Amino acid sequence: MKKIAGSVLLIMLVASTLPAQKPEITVPLRFDQYYTLDQVYEALRALNKAYPQLTTLETVGKSEEGRPVMALTVNNPKTGAAMDKPGIYVDGNMHGNEIQGGDISLYLLDYVLGGYGKNPEMTGLVDRACLYVVPVVNVDGRHHFLADANSPDSNRSLRIPVDDDKDGLFDEDNADDLDGDGNICEMRKKDPFGAFRTDPEDPRLMVPVKPGEKGEWARLGDEGLDNDGDGQVNEDGPGYVDANRTWGFDWAPPYVQSGSGEYPFSGVGVKGLAEWTMTKTNIAFVWSFHNNGGMILRGPSRKGLGEYPPQDVAVYDYLGKQGERIIPGYRYLISWKDLYTTYGDSGEWATQTLGAYFYCAEVFQGESEAFKGVSEKTEPRSPREEAVRDIFSQGVTDRERIKFSDNVVQGELYKPWKHFKHPEYGDIEIGGWVKLSSRLGAPFMIKDLVHRNAMAVLFTAKNVPEVSLDVIEVKALGGSLYRVRTRLSNPKAMPTMSYLAQKINLYPKDMLRAGGAGAKVVAGGLLVDPYRDQVVYKKYRPELQFLVVPGFGKVEHEFLVEGKGELTVRYESRHGGKLTKTVKLE
Ligand SMILES: [Ca+2]
Ligand SMILES: [Ca+2]
Ligand SMILES: [Ca+2]
Ligand SMILES: [Ca+2]
Ligand SMILES: [Zn+2]
């Protein structure tokens, strides 16, 4: 007895000297598990603490349940103010269950900041551009998805009560975790008239009965009870206001677009985020991360909005095709055409009101859970067929996925069917895919997913405009008259203003001003042909020229200046930054 008591005491002493149960989050971050919401906050604080000169951490809004929506801005103030540089904005987890975007955002931050001063590509990017990252938009959603019992598809909404079945009660009948395992799985009941029978290949799966075949199982839907006794089971869960259908451009009421909310920006966290984003007029490119299907989607989000100008499509195509190479298996597609129509989504809002380019990435593909050897691969179908079947993991059968679960993650993705005494249905079975499955890759696959998606972001980030201003000629024309020619060039894919923003006249174009204390611009205009000295002169105020610097291109101007001394040429652009050059008139 004495000896046992002594060893217990020793264990207690050792335990008390061990570090606290909750490990502190340290930089560099790890990506071997999905971060909980609290860990996302902790990781952002850790990044801010590790790189205080390069980062600003802000709360841009508060959710329905009072949780902060946080943004980390990466900018090097030594090379200029954030607003004077092209901006790249990244967000994730707008849908509560689509958590990977949070982890991709953290990875991107960790990678860029960790590479600063070590990797010349990252140093160069941070020094010339500004990165806005909001890892988790639907903060309540991420919290509840991971903390509560859910299925892979549940808990998408903002926490705004909505009476889905219009019975006067709000959110009165959510799914119920009957067996208390933290997952909302599926219910089934033995029934010779059921529409399903046991899969002869794998008895855990079911296949539909063919005409004339005897049934075996009735599928009863998500695990749960009729909480309000209205005869329906799980008919009114939390919400539903969809954070990605409530933005203020091309919004439509719920009878047109389900989940849009009672009015645009009815979610307080999303509204706060939108207000903050609207002040960041330097944002040239926006990425929003969702799951799933392995897609890089561009707009328009609705056919009726019309195709974007061809020069913008060329930018999207160039970046999107590179994205397909960086993330093998992903497809660059058009959202309304290849997926579905949406109203009031964040992408069209960013495109049409911020004048940014936009991609929505639907990360994770069912193919990554295929269970086939090289020699078992079927011939690829046409790209269009491949694209369609891949959406929502249709490319891999449940027979393959369950073998993947069995053999690659030792059964962790699927709960075998187990008997349960249901108060309404009687003897039933509960089983099926668990919460962290289906749309969410197993933890061992997280690193590959977050890395490749972050690298696709970086390719676009490196292609925001990088404008140089050069005075290419100062020529004395006799008397006190000088001919001054300037060149604005941009070796990157994106122009300094999208062609859509130009088309809809969204905001003033870039400005180029020339002037000096003793010098007056008497004529000025676009140099359309430097070889033949062809200039299109601007009639009024020739000292101020409006222009756009195209991607992979240049724009040249000519000023006729009268006077002496110095001439200063200043360039100012929302997406192209600010530049100044001074020359002597001689
Ligand atoms: Ca209701
Ligand atoms: Ca509801
Ligand atoms: Ca009910
Ligand atoms: Ca229920
Ligand atoms: Zn989504």
Side-chain angles (χ1 to χ4, degrees):
M1 276 302 281
K2 255 183 191 171
K3 205 177 174 188
I4 291 165
S7 67
V8 168
L9 186 68
L10 185 68
I11 288 162
M12 283 170 72
L13 279 169
V14 169
S16 69
T17 58
L18 288 171
Q21 279 295 300
K22 199 175 130 199
E24 203 190 318
I25 294 198
T26 51
V27 173
L29 303 176
R30 295 174 57 165
F31 293 88
D32 45 12
Q33 293 289 332
Y34 294 108
Y35 283 92
T36 65
L37 180 69
D38 286 339
Q39 289 171 335
V40 172
Y41 290 146
E42 248 187 89
L44 286 172
R45 286 188 201 105
L47 287 166
N48 182 224
K49 209 175 143 194
Y51 307 100
Q53 307 88 353
L54 296 176
T55 60
T56 313
L57 186 59
E58 281 170 272
T59 295
V60 302
K62 282 251 166 93
S63 70
E64 279 64 31
E65 293 185 343
R67 295 186 177 87
V69 178
M70 297 187 99
L72 193 73
T73 299
V74 178
N75 177 59
N76 182 5
K78 287 180 187 150
T79 59
M83 289 295 285
D84 292 346
K85 296 171 191 166
I88 308 106
Y89 169 93
V90 177
D91 73 27
N93 212 170
M94 223 174 261
H95 292 132
N97 60 330
E98 299 178 0
I99 60 174
Q100 293 103 323
D103 305 82
I104 292 165
S105 298
L106 290 178
Y107 185 86
L108 175 71
L109 288 165
D110 192 58
Y111 188 92
V112 169
L113 291 163
Y116 188 81
K118 294 181 192 134
N119 178 320
E121 295 294 315
M122 292 305 95
T123 310
L125 180 69
V126 172
D127 282 346
R128 83 169 188 92
C130 151
L131 184 61
Y132 303 111
V133 184
V134 181
V136 182
V137 175
N138 186 350
V139 282
D140 296 338
R142 189 182 189 97
H143 169 76
H144 286 289
F145 180 72
L146 291 170
D148 305 347
N150 275 297
S151 80
D153 305 317
S154 63
N155 200 79
R156 298 171 62 74
S157 177
L158 297 173
R159 290 270 149 169
I160 300 171
V162 175
D163 179 7
D164 299 316
D165 60 335
K166 302 194 169 58
D167 66 345
L169 302 170
F170 289 74
D171 302 352
E172 73 283 1
D173 194 345
N174 194 9
D176 308 88
D177 183 11
L178 299 173
D179 59 3
D181 71 341
N183 298 294
I184 299 297
C185 289
E186 201 190 332
M187 304 189 289
R188 69 177 187 181
K189 188 174 172 65
K190 272 252 183 229
D191 181 352
F193 296 96
F196 294 85
R197 62 186 176 87
T198 301
D199 183 349
E201 192 180 304
D202 191 315
R204 293 167 295 179
L205 299 173
M206 291 173 281
V207 290
V209 293
K210 293 190 186 110
E213 271 181 2
K214 200 170 178 290
E216 190 181 357
W217 298 105
R219 295 178 92 146
L220 304 174
D222 284 348
E223 203 177 328
L225 307 166
D226 177 8
N227 304 84
D228 61 336
D230 71 342
Q232 288 179 280
V233 180
N234 305 340
E235 78 284 357
D236 192 347
Y240 189 87
V241 175
D242 187 320
N244 201 27
R245 303 290 184 274
T246 184
W247 293 69
F249 182 85
D250 204 32
W251 181 91
Y255 65 84
V256 176
Q257 172 62 70
S258 84
S260 63
E262 290 184 350
Y263 50 90
F265 293 124
S266 53
V268 288
V270 174
K271 181 164 178 269
L273 173 60
E275 284 174 349
W276 182 80
T277 313
M278 280 185 84
T279 66
K280 310 299 178 196
T281 51
N282 61 327
I283 295 172
F285 206 100
V286 171
W287 276 87
S288 192
F289 283 97
H290 290 252
N291 78 30
N292 80 97
M295 294 178 272
I296 300 166
L297 296 163
R298 72 155 168 99
S301 45
R302 188 164 66 78
K303 189 183 183 184
L305 294 169
E307 177 61 301
Y308 296 147
Q311 304 97 320
D312 283 343
V313 171
V315 173
Y316 281 121
D317 289 354
Y318 174 77
L319 301 171
K321 288 193 177 121
Q322 189 73 340
E324 286 187 341
R325 298 180 187 111
I326 295 170
I327 326 172
Y330 281 35
R331 290 171 182 90
Y332 159 61
L333 300 168
I334 302 169
S335 56
W336 75 265
K337 193 162 150 244
D338 301 313
L339 189 60
Y340 42 60
T341 291
T342 49
Y343 294 82
D345 55 281
S346 73
E348 208 60 48
W349 183 84
T351 309
Q352 306 259 2
T353 72
L354 275 177
Y357 290 96
F358 172 84
Y359 281 146
C360 166
E362 295 281 358
V363 307
F364 184 72
Q365 30 179 3
E367 256 85 350
S368 58
E369 293 182 348
F371 197 72
K372 269 200 180 106
V374 174
S375 58
E376 297 169 295
K377 284 255 155 72
T378 47
E379 285 297 304
R381 294 183 240 181
S382 77
R384 173 77 193 171
E385 278 177 320
E386 290 279 316
V388 171
R389 86 186 167 110
D390 192 39
I391 294 167
F392 312 123
S393 313
Q394 292 306 302
V396 176
T397 64
D398 277 0
R399 287 175 178 175
E400 271 182 72
R401 288 175 64 213
I402 205 164
K403 290 193 190 89
F404 173 92
S405 174
D406 291 344
N407 294 286
V408 186
V409 290
Q410 304 306 318
E412 293 204 351
L413 305 182
Y414 196 89
K415 292 275 284 195
W417 295 94
K418 256 176 119 174
H419 173 261
F420 185 80
K421 193 93 186 164
H422 193 284
E424 292 144 17
Y425 288 121
D427 290 314
I428 63 156
E429 290 186 359
I430 295 172
W433 301 101
V434 300
K435 173 168 76 175
L436 296 179
S437 75
S438 311
R439 306 162 69 118
L440 292 163
F444 82 92
M445 297 197 286
I446 295 174
K447 183 97 188 248
D448 183 79
L449 181 132
V450 296
H451 179 82
R452 287 186 186 276
N453 279 280
M455 294 307 111
V457 171
L458 286 182
F459 186 74
T460 58
K462 287 161 83 173
N463 271 290
V464 295
E466 185 173 20
V467 180
S468 302
L469 168 62
D470 295 297
V471 176
I472 52 175
E473 186 190 274
V474 179
K475 189 178 176 185
L477 297 179
S480 56
L481 198 63
Y482 293 87
R483 186 174 87 181
V484 178
R485 285 182 173 178
T486 61
R487 177 184 294 152
L488 289 155
S489 58
N490 172 22
K492 304 296 183 174
M494 276 175 242
T496 55
M497 186 175 183
S498 79
Y499 291 87
L500 178 74
Q502 294 177 50
K503 188 178 146 192
I504 61 181
N505 212 3
L506 189 61
Y507 56 83
K509 289 181 179 177
D510 302 354
M511 294 178 214
L512 183 70
R513 291 170 219 262
K520 184 176 157 47
V521 174
V522 294
L526 185 69
L527 180 59
V528 289
D529 188 340
Y531 310 120
R532 294 178 295 157
D533 290 335
Q534 288 181 351
V535 180
V536 178
Y537 287 104
K538 184 167 171 257
K539 198 167 180 186
Y540 301 103
R541 297 176 67 199
E543 71 281 4
L544 171 62
Q545 301 288 329
F546 291 94
L547 63 112
V548 173
V549 189
F552 302 130
K554 61 164 172 114
V555 58
E556 292 170 342
H557 288 82
E558 177 170 302
F559 295 97
L560 295 177
V561 187
E562 197 165 34
K564 57 179 174 13
E566 286 184 337
L567 182 81
T568 298
V569 185
R570 278 179 297 146
Y571 169 74
E572 201 179 314
S573 165
R574 279 202 189 195
H575 296 174
K578 285 179 181 166
L579 299 161
T580 303
K581 274 272 154 77
T582 300
V583 288
K584 277 212 169 79
L585 296 170
E586 57 185 19

